[in-house]
């Protein structure tokens, strides 16, 4: 399962409002920067913990931003 599929499933379940995946130009092997908009019903830290764990094998936590 890829990054967008994981985030889309999370969006469908209602934990995140929206997300954006920004791939690093010039290097397809570098991890992307992922920006997630948390739903107001959930604390940002809870969303960050979930998304970080969800994407752990694919994206380092330093590349994940949750607003």
């Amino acid at each position: 399962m890829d990054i967008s599929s994981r985030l889309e499933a999370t969006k469908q379940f209602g934990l995140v409002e929206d997300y954006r995946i920004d791939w690093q130009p010039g290097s397809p092997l570098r991890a992307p920067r992922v920006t997630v908009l948390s739903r107001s019903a959930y604390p940002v830290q809870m969303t960050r913990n979930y998304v970080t764990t969800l994407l752990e094998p694919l994206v380092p936590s330093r590349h994940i931003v949750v607003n």
Side-chain angles (χ1 to χ4, degrees), residues 15-20 35-39 47 65-67:
L15 183 60
V16 302
E17 185 75 31
D18 206 2
Y19 62 89
R20 185 177 72 225
T35 304
V36 175
L37 179 59
S38 179
R39 290 208 182 263
T47 303
V65 176
V66 178
N67 296 319

Side-chain angles (χ1 to χ4, degrees), residues 17-63:
E17 185 75 31
D18 206 2
Y19 62 89
R20 185 177 72 225
I21 303 169
D22 296 315
W23 293 95
Q24 303 293 330
S27 179
L29 300 178
R30 293 189 70 185
R33 181 173 182 88
V34 176
T35 304
V36 175
L37 179 59
S38 179
R39 290 208 182 263
S40 60
Y42 300 103
V44 170
Q45 189 60 47
M46 184 180 96
T47 303
R48 178 166 176 55
N49 291 346
Y50 180 82
V51 171
T52 300
T53 301
L54 180 72
L55 299 179
E56 186 174 38
L58 305 170
V59 181
S61 61
R62 68 182 179 278
H63 288 218

Side-chain angles (χ1 to χ4, degrees), residues 1-23:
M1 186 179 264
D2 66 356
I3 297 167
S4 60
S5 297
R6 291 172 187 227
L7 290 170
E8 192 59 36
T10 303
K11 184 177 176 181
Q12 294 296 322
F13 288 122
L15 183 60
V16 302
E17 185 75 31
D18 206 2
Y19 62 89
R20 185 177 72 225
I21 303 169
D22 296 315
W23 293 95

